[in-house]
Amino acid sequence: MLSRLALAAALLWAGAATAQTTTLVATPAEYQRVLRDVKPGDVIALKDGVWRDFQILFEAEGQAGQPITLTAQTPGGVVLSGQSNLRLAGRQLVVSDLVFRDGWSPTGEVVSFRRSKEHRAVESRVTGLVIDGYNKPDRATSDNWVALYGRDNRFDHNHLTGKNNVGTTLVVVRDEQQGLDNRHRIDHNYFGPRPNMGSNGGETLRVGTSADSLSASNTVVENNWFEGADGEVEIVSNKSGGNTYRGNVFYHSRGSMVLRHGDGNLVENNVFIGGGKPHTGGIRVINRNQTVRNNYMEGITGDGFTAALSVMHGVPDSPINRYHQVVGAVIENNTIIDARSLFLGAGMDTERSAPPIGSRFARNLIVNPDGREPMRMLGDLSGVAFTDNVQARDVAMVRGVNGLLIPVAPQGAGASPDLVMTPRAETGVAWYPKDVQAVRLDQGAEIAVEPTEGALEAAVAAARPGDVLVLAPGRYSVDRTLTIRAPLTVRGSGQGRVEIAFSRPSLFEVAKGGSLKLAGLTITGADAPDETGNAVIRVAPGSSAANFDLVLEGVEVRDLTVNRGFSVIALGKGVMADRVLLRDVRVDNITGSVISAAAETDDRGTYNAELVQIEGGAFSRIGGSVVDLYRGGTDESTFGPRLVIKGASFKQVGSSERPSILMRGVQHAELVDNTLTDSGAISFSHRVGEPVLAVAGNRLVRTPEMQTDIAPTAATEEY
């Protein structure tokens, strides 16, 4: 029995052990001083405001039940901008409620769970963090926004959105030095929109790499939202073993949850809502002993590698970085509704010749109300046991309280009716908006412009995002290149002819952040100088312009003849258009191409435009191709490009040496109801994947037959 003195001493010691000190700091220097003396249980709060160029090293040793915390004075009140980042090293650390915005990390990571290879964070947590558009200026410069090192760390309730440069949004980095058994938990995060990269390197989440994929990470990824995560084919790229993906929601996101490398992973209780958006996918299965069960998929439009469910062929005796054979997969009790495709045996070719074996496909419910046959099977599937699956078009379904469709009558197949979709509001943070919409074309004010000297140049310089410049009839002589840094429309008033003549190599140059629409105008290049790379609209190489729209409606372009390569639209290396649309456009007497999108010749799977679309219009006396569209290499991480040309007239386009339409590596092309007279041949060449070439109703007059290395089809399918 303790004496009173001993008891008092024990209580005093216990009180000291649990004492907590909260210190508010206002400068980086104050932070450094406080950090030197921090003790288990202490809290360091950064004073609200903008902390610019603050590279935070948070290194300390907390204790179980007494972590050391770095936080904001108020949630979201601290904005780290400029060249800022965060590194954690030590044990039992917590970081919360900070915002990274308006800048980029000077290193390869915004948030890193290590100081160095020898000093990593363990048993630590980052929560309530926001990273919003914190991108490198050059979209080709790679970084990871969050890198989890060490072990037993948690990354939860964070909001990450708007990554538009190469590199994974969140990556688990593994190596033998730190230990490969990571046991991280990644939960309740909101992974917001990530635009299409048009190249490899746009994953939202990756666990491991191929080099260490034969070992288990034992990481849990659960209850996260992936919304508009469109970076590339792989939204989640699993490259290690023993991981669990549970309760995540993939909402209107292009791409799939991919078990790319590693064995013995579990994918369960996830919800995939495609909403009919192009290229939305589900789950792709590769490797050994994968379990995919009790998942729900609805409105998935992807095919091939992004089918609602894709089970791949492997490479016999595969190198570690290729495709290991599917062995022992269990795919059961999944519900798949209104899916374009399920693909068993995907990827089969001369290299990937090992079919799935020892696997089970059981009690899955597949409902396609429109009666289409979604099941696609390729190769020898005798190694897959099919048991008690239900596939139908007329199963009566009702929307349950969980927001998901369930059969009115039990089917003995499909996901549990008790499956709950993780609420969006329970992911990310409550104090930062999820529904911010970028300003688009035609969403601003209409501004009248008269044909006086310098008026158009001044109006472009003063325009705000989304504005519409309405040009009065007359001739506009432009003596400088007009730089477009935000969405802008320039259109005629409709009261008479509007003509723009320009005396620089380009009339418009679209920079990062810009989109451009022209309507009801006539443009002449007769006054332009003879310089290399002339174009009406130029997007310069190295500008990092991406995910922009170029739209021409009711526009006439003529007399681009001062050199042999004067184009209407020229997209440079490293730029990426979401859409180039020409509707009822007339182009006459030019020496270059109407649309030149062929700058990515290093053959890494990149390309310059996701969708090129021509609707109607007339193109005559074109020295180059109407469209020159290029995607080289054999990388399979992207979907495009796509080309659609319908109802257009071509006369004297190209030559015997120059195709009228030049498509190299295009993944989906539709040529319908066009007339080509005295023109060069249409040329289509295959580079990768299973491209679609749909041809119907075209008329060739004194024009050679199409040159193609794949068989065209007369059917077209919109998606």
Side-chain angles (χ1 to χ4, degrees), residues 10-11 18 39 45 109 146 181 190 196 218 263 345 371 405 489 541 683 699-700:
L11 291 173
T18 58
K39 296 179 177 59
E109 296 155 349
V146 179
D181 185 13
Y190 177 75
N196 172 27
N218 294 315
D263 302 332
L405 290 169
T489 296
S683 177
R699 184 167 177 252
L700 305 181

Side-chain angles (χ1 to χ4, degrees), residues 46 51 53-57 70 76 78-88 95-106 109-112 126 128-135 145-146 155 158-161 431-432:
L46 304 181
W51 292 61
D53 302 332
F54 185 21
Q55 297 186 47
I56 304 172
L57 174 60
L70 172 64
V78 170
V79 175
L80 294 149
S81 70
Q83 310 295 284
S84 298
N85 59 17
L86 168 66
R87 291 178 294 157
L88 296 81
V95 178
S96 66
D97 298 336
L98 307 177
V99 177
F100 284 90
R101 193 175 60 215
D102 303 324
W104 64 89
S105 172
E109 296 155 349
V110 180
V111 176
S112 176
V126 172
L129 187 85
V130 172
I131 307 179
D132 184 356
Y134 207 67
N135 296 303
W145 273 6
V146 179
F155 188 81
N158 301 291
H159 179 121
L160 285 72
T161 189
W431 43 263
Y432 204 86

Side-chain angles (χ1 to χ4, degrees), residues 150-152 174 178-184 216-218:
R151 59 172 176 79
D152 297 297
R174 310 174 63 237
Q178 68 171 332
L180 295 168
D181 185 13
N182 309 117
R183 301 190 300 274
H184 299 310
S217 175
N218 294 315

